[in-house]
Amino acid sequence: MKAIIALDSFKGCLTAEQAGAAALKAFPEGEAVAIPVSDGGEGFTTIMTRMLGGEYRTVKCSDPLGRKVEATYGLVRNGLVAVMETAEASGMWRLSPEERNPLVASTFGTGELIADALEEGVEEIWLGLGGSATCDGGTGLLQALGYRFITPGGILEDGHTVLGNIIEIDSAHRHKALSRCRIKGFYDVSVPFCGTGGSARVFAPQKGAGEEMVDALDLWMSQLCNVYSRFSGREIRNTPGSGAAGGIGGALRAMLGASMTPGIWHILETSEIGRALDTCNLVITGEGSADRQTLYGKVPSGVLEYVRRYDYECGGARHTKVVLLAGQVSDRQELLDAGFDAVLQSTPEGMPLEEALDPQTAMKNITSALNGSLE
């Protein structure tokens, strides 16, 4: 059996590399290869920078609450391309559960990373969209790049735009280097900017929003969507990736003319996983928690689609088995109906969450789950 292990990070527990190393232990030596992957969230910078032999740059920027922190991005292709992720400066991991509040969390720090890369003279920026603690529609990011948001009461203070009554956008002072730099957004989920199934309604509850806050955020995002479209002439409400990272995708597309691509596809193409598939009959993919949201474009669904397309291009006669492995599994039947050949939960039933999130325990659970399923 030749197997490919293409696991995302298990959030709050294991990096993609650690999860892959644990899975490898379930196979005889030489019978499997681990290829760390990301959908644009945590790990996007590290994985892409390593694959392309780049180097890292660390700078001071703002976390979601405006506190100064150190954040890192990658420089590849002779320093002409910057690789970064919203999860680095504006990620959920930066906040304690008590601090999570998408009414005040800002993407200003991510904009500061972009500004630093522009000052370094890069010609292209790859921004992974995922894992953010924010739902500010990318307004904080744009403020850090010189955009100003105008309300009936005047210009909004940097980093404090959420629920502001924005009526106009002033781009007169935007960073001059934006005109010569291409920006590409790599999204983890394909949800609308606003409305039913949109950014606020699907993901704001995970970021600390209650029901009333979700309603308020979605209304504000709808108004912001109209302002963006009126200013830029681009319709973004349903553009793929527009709702990613709390609406950063929509801001990138509308205001910066960014192209948008599923992050997992970019990483899979860069990794040349297709060559490994030539001698493979099993692919194991997964993430920390799998449910119906996994099917919105996260790593497992991207890997599944990639493998099925590869099978089809080989004439349709082959069927590579694709197994989904996650720490916690919900909506199992929906995942199976989507095309996974098997869905495995690595955490034993009844194990306390605190114990399951211990890195050493989580790695042992991954190895044990695969050992049991491959026998």
Side-chain angles (χ1 to χ4, degrees):
M1 175 185 296
K2 293 289 186 179
I4 295 174
I5 298 166
L7 294 174
D8 196 358
S9 62
F10 280 39
K11 291 183 181 178
C13 183
L14 300 174
T15 65
E17 290 84 354
Q18 290 172 322
L24 271 177
K25 292 182 179 179
F27 293 87
E29 186 174 352
E31 287 298 303
V33 59
I35 301 176
V37 292
S38 167
D39 52 17
E42 293 93 333
F44 179 80
T45 298
T46 300
I47 292 170
M48 289 303 305
T49 304
R50 286 181 181 174
M51 281 183 182
L52 297 175
E55 58 184 29
Y56 297 97
R57 178 172 170 79
T58 300
V59 298
K60 286 193 176 295
C61 65
S62 305
D63 78 354
L65 299 182
R67 299 171 297 206
K68 289 301 177 182
V69 296
E70 288 191 341
T72 300
Y73 66 89
L75 290 168
V76 302
R77 296 183 176 169
N78 297 317
L80 297 179
V81 177
V83 183
M84 57 185 68
E85 62 195 51
T86 58
E88 176 65 4
S90 309
M92 190 98 75
W93 69 277
R94 291 281 186 186
L95 306 181
S96 68
E98 296 74 23
E99 292 175 326
R100 295 173 186 171
N101 182 347
L103 284 180
V104 298
S106 170
T107 56
F108 194 85
T110 298
E112 290 177 308
L113 289 184
I114 293 176
D116 185 83
L118 293 173
E119 294 296 328
E120 287 293 299
V122 303
E123 297 178 358
E124 190 164 292
I125 293 173
W126 298 347
L127 179 60
L129 304 173
S132 81
T134 61
C135 194
D136 72 349
T139 52
L141 178 154
L142 292 173
Q143 286 177 320
L145 295 174
Y147 287 84
R148 295 294 175 260
F149 294 91
I150 303 170
T151 73
I155 297 176
L156 286 171
E157 181 182 352
D158 283 354
H160 297 279
T161 57
V162 177
L163 298 191
N165 183 23
I166 297 171
I167 57 174
E168 293 291 344
I169 303 174
D170 176 10
S171 63
H173 302 287
R174 84 174 201 151
H175 201 296
K176 293 180 180 179
L178 285 169
S179 61
R180 59 162 176 75
C181 182
R182 297 181 299 275
I183 297 180
K184 296 182 178 181
F186 297 96
Y187 55 88
D188 63 342
V189 291
S190 185
V191 297
F193 189 81
C194 55
T196 302
S199 183
R201 298 209 175 275
V202 174
F203 296 110
Q206 301 172 8
K207 303 176 183 184
E211 187 174 343
E212 290 185 4
M213 188 187 297
V214 168
D215 289 340
L217 282 168
D218 186 58
L219 176 61
W220 178 78
M221 291 279 282
S222 179
Q223 295 168 342
L224 179 63
C225 182
N226 293 333
V227 174
Y228 278 160
S229 294
R230 186 174 70 247
F231 183 90
S232 68
R234 297 186 177 98
E235 176 54 54
I236 62 165
R237 185 179 299 266
N238 295 306
T239 299
S242 64
I248 289 180
L252 292 180
R253 179 65 186 142
M255 306 304 296
L256 304 182
S259 61
M260 304 295 290
T261 305
I264 181 58
W265 277 87
H266 186 55
I267 283 185
L268 291 175
E269 291 289 350
T270 304
S271 72
E272 297 184 341
I273 193 173
R275 293 184 182 180
L277 283 169
D278 287 340
T279 57
C280 162
N281 58 16
L282 170 66
V283 174
I284 296 170
T285 185
E287 57 187 345
S289 179
D291 54 27
R292 58 172 57 94
Q293 290 185 10
T294 296
L295 304 177
Y296 290 165
K298 289 185 173 290
V299 161
S301 62
V303 170
L304 176 66
E305 182 181 354
Y306 189 92
V307 173
R308 292 292 173 255
R309 181 175 297 183
Y310 178 87
D311 286 347
Y312 176 79
E313 290 175 351
C314 289
R318 61 176 284 160
H319 178 88
T320 306
K321 185 177 181 180
V322 181
V323 174
L324 170 57
L325 171 71
Q328 294 290 331
V329 172
S330 301
D331 310 317
R332 182 185 299 273
Q333 191 57 51
E334 288 185 51
L335 296 171
L336 290 169
D337 291 343
F340 292 103
D341 294 285
V343 177
L344 308 178
Q345 177 173 297
S346 62
T347 304
E349 292 294 343
M351 176 175 283
L353 179 60
E354 183 176 355
E355 182 180 354
L357 291 177
D358 174 72
Q360 292 302 316
T361 301
M363 292 182 73
K364 290 178 181 177
N365 287 342
I366 288 173
T367 305
S368 297
L370 289 175
N371 276 332
S373 68
L374 297 175
E375 292 175 352

